[in-house]
Amino acid sequence: MTATLLATKRVEKPWGRHTLWPGFPDPAADGEKIGEVWFQTPHAGEPDLLVKYLFTSEKLSVQVHPDDAAAQAAGYPRGKDEAWIILAAEPDSTIALGTLKPMTSDELRAASLDGSIEHLLDWKPVKAGDFYYSEAGTVHAIGAGITVVEIQQNVDLTYRLYDYGSDRELHLDAGVKVSDPEPFVPLPTPPQDGKDHQVLAEGPKFVIERFAGGERVVDLPAGLTGWLVPLTGAGVADGVAFKAGECLTLEGRCEIKADAGSDLALAYPGSKRI
């Protein structure tokens, strides 16, 4: 049994914020704008998954990620499915997932070049408690005013298709090639097993469960690592104290005791719950 508290990496972004989320110290009002906080293992590139928080004050670029095959052909270890747990959102906050209607590759390229792609995406209103799983190939953009936990395959590989006229590099050739410019179809809601937790996603690349405070045992098969994310509250996992704003990896059989009112997420690789 092993529970390990992970190190954090704060990442400055032009779309970041000076006010973050309980558990995270705010940066100075006249200092850097923090857009992401990553939780890293000692060998950051090795684990299958990566957990991070995102704090947005502006729209993120219109982007896409490759699947495993396309990423490996480009020299990366894996592609990038990702999922978002929305913790907070302004009343008018949105996330774009998929296009309003099917587009050809030529149409996607042209719309990315002239900026019309922003208006051809399906911008969905979001609120605290919402959950989305975005498979590789989905054209997407996260909007402003959102605090979100992102659980993803562990690879830093993003192809930007459009960035609202900024001077950041675009990746049209690679991005268009791996895109599925179609309306977003959410994955089926996983069947629930009647236990005191909710299964948010069951594959294809990882499983996410969510449960409240109290005592429970997580028994992970040999060789499988889990990521425990305390969204609110605090507790102890195999003697390692944790609180909101932190993240732990778990291995083997772990006893978790979380304060009443806590809200915890558990993620692990695979297509089926353990």
Side-chain angles (χ1 to χ4, degrees):
M1 57 183 182
T2 302
T4 304
L5 191 65
L6 299 184
T8 59
K9 175 184 178 181
R10 292 161 71 95
V11 182
E12 185 176 8
K13 294 287 186 179
W15 43 261
R17 297 202 310 248
H18 290 123
T19 303
L20 303 182
W21 182 251
F24 296 97
D26 291 337
D30 58 350
E32 61 187 0
K33 296 170 70 175
I34 298 300
E36 300 179 354
V37 174
W38 297 24
F39 297 101
Q40 295 187 309
T41 62
H43 304 286
E46 293 180 0
D48 291 298
L49 301 184
L50 173 68
V51 174
K52 62 174 78 167
Y53 277 71
L54 277 65
F55 313 99
T56 72
S57 62
E58 303 172 8
K59 287 180 179 178
L60 277 64
S61 62
V62 177
Q63 55 190 240
V64 67
H65 308 295
D67 63 14
D68 288 349
Q72 289 164 1
Y76 292 84
R78 60 186 67 87
K80 186 176 175 183
D81 279 22
E82 57 191 352
W84 304 308
I85 300 173
I86 309 299
L87 299 182
E90 297 295 329
D92 57 350
S93 292
T94 56
I95 287 179
L97 278 167
T99 54
L100 293 172
K101 62 180 182 180
M103 300 173 66
T104 66
S105 294
D106 288 344
E107 289 171 338
L108 177 61
R109 174 184 287 274
S112 299
L113 285 170
D114 67 19
S116 61
I117 185 62
E118 180 182 0
H119 308 291
L120 298 174
L121 299 178
D122 185 5
W123 291 92
K124 303 175 182 296
V126 295
K127 63 184 185 304
D130 286 349
F131 173 79
Y132 292 97
Y133 187 111
S134 176
E135 294 183 272
T138 303
V139 181
H140 64 278
I142 296 178
I146 300 175
T147 300
V148 59
V149 171
E150 179 175 290
I151 298 166
Q152 59 161 92
Q153 288 182 276
N154 183 21
V155 64
D156 190 10
L157 180 55
T158 296
Y159 297 141
R160 278 189 296 273
L161 298 173
Y162 176 68
D163 199 26
Y164 316 102
S166 80
D167 57 1
R168 291 205 299 170
E169 180 185 5
L170 300 179
H171 314 95
L172 290 182
D173 289 341
V176 169
K177 184 176 181 180
V178 303
S179 292
D180 297 320
E182 299 178 350
F184 175 74
V185 178
L187 295 175
T189 300
Q192 305 301 308
D193 54 18
K195 297 181 181 178
D196 58 345
H197 68 282
Q198 181 183 11
V199 180
L200 298 179
E202 191 170 21
K205 297 301 180 181
F206 46 84
V207 176
I208 303 176
E209 303 180 20
R210 190 171 184 175
F211 46 87
E215 297 186 13
R216 69 181 55 242
V217 172
V218 173
D219 197 356
L220 294 161
L224 186 70
T225 299
W227 279 256
L228 181 67
V229 189
L231 306 173
T232 60
V236 177
D238 275 355
V240 178
F242 62 78
K243 62 183 184 298
E246 297 178 333
C247 182
L248 302 84
T249 53
L250 307 179
E251 295 178 355
R253 186 181 188 275
C254 296
E255 296 183 1
I256 300 171
K257 298 180 180 180
D259 297 345
S262 297
D263 184 6
L264 311 176
L266 174 68
Y268 47 89
S271 60
K272 295 293 182 182
R273 73 193 77 177
I274 56 175

